Amino acid sequence: MLDINEIMKIIPQRAPFLMIDRVETYEPGKSCVAYKNVCINEPHFKGHFPSQPIMPGVLIVEALAQAGAVAILSKEENKGKNALFGGIDKLKFKKQVVPGDVLKLEVNIIKEKGPIGVGEAVAYVDGKVAAKGELTFAVV
């Protein structure tokens, strides 16, 4: 398991844009299972939406991407680099994510050629799919 300090040694994101709180397991270049505790005091909830706070879908995708970045940037040859979005494909939102939820983020790297790769990404809340799709990344 990795805590927040160990995560920050692998990926470059920092508060307020670091979207994962802990990593349960990871295999460099292959997979990552991470968690995000969704808290009402996060700044986006002031405007999205004040009377019915819902985590923006783009931030759910960003959390998934950061979990994928842990998998890909933990490879020895990628240490100190960054993983950028190259594309998002087949992404579907299945469930609203609200304050108090714990997002379980699972990413499996399914293809990699040179600096470009694709990860299958699924976000769960209470065992139910909240979002899933494929994320393409470029390591720079």
Side-chain angles (χ1 to χ4, degrees), residues 2 10-11 19 37 47 72-73 75 87 94 98 103-104:
L2 300 177
I10 299 172
I11 63 175
M19 296 285 152
N37 298 315
I72 207 66
L73 296 178
K75 287 177 62 175
K94 305 285 190 176
V98 299
L103 270 177
K104 181 178 184 181

Side-chain angles (χ1 to χ4, degrees), residues 1-8 11 18-24 34-39 42 63 66 101-103 105:
M1 181 169 322
L2 300 177
D3 67 18
I4 196 75
N5 293 316
E6 294 165 311
I7 293 166
M8 291 191 306
I11 63 175
L18 183 59
M19 296 285 152
I20 55 178
D21 297 313
R22 71 184 191 280
V23 171
E24 182 177 74
Y35 292 87
K36 162 77 176 138
N37 298 315
V38 182
C39 302
E42 295 176 54
Q66 289 181 19
D101 285 344
V102 176
L103 270 177
L105 309 158

Side-chain angles (χ1 to χ4, degrees), residues 41-129:
N41 63 348
E42 295 176 54
H44 50 269
F45 287 127
K46 290 180 184 174
H48 198 269
F49 302 94
S51 63
Q52 185 185 5
I54 299 169
M55 186 174 183
V58 296
L59 295 182
I60 297 168
V61 174
E62 178 63 26
L64 285 164
Q66 289 181 19
V70 169
I72 207 66
L73 296 178
S74 61
K75 287 177 62 175
E76 192 61 41
E77 63 267 28
N78 292 335
K79 289 187 178 177
K81 295 183 179 180
N82 199 357
L84 305 177
F85 267 127
I88 302 169
D89 197 22
K90 302 175 189 167
L91 193 84
K92 301 282 186 198
F93 296 100
K94 305 285 190 176
K95 179 180 181 357
Q96 292 180 1
V97 177
V98 299
D101 285 344
V102 176
L103 270 177
K104 181 178 184 181
L105 309 158
E106 294 184 0
V107 179
N108 291 298
I109 306 304
I110 59 173
K111 186 178 0 177
E112 193 175 1
K113 185 172 183 178
I116 307 298
V118 177
E120 278 185 338
V122 184
Y124 298 92
V125 173
D126 295 327
K128 296 179 182 153
V129 174

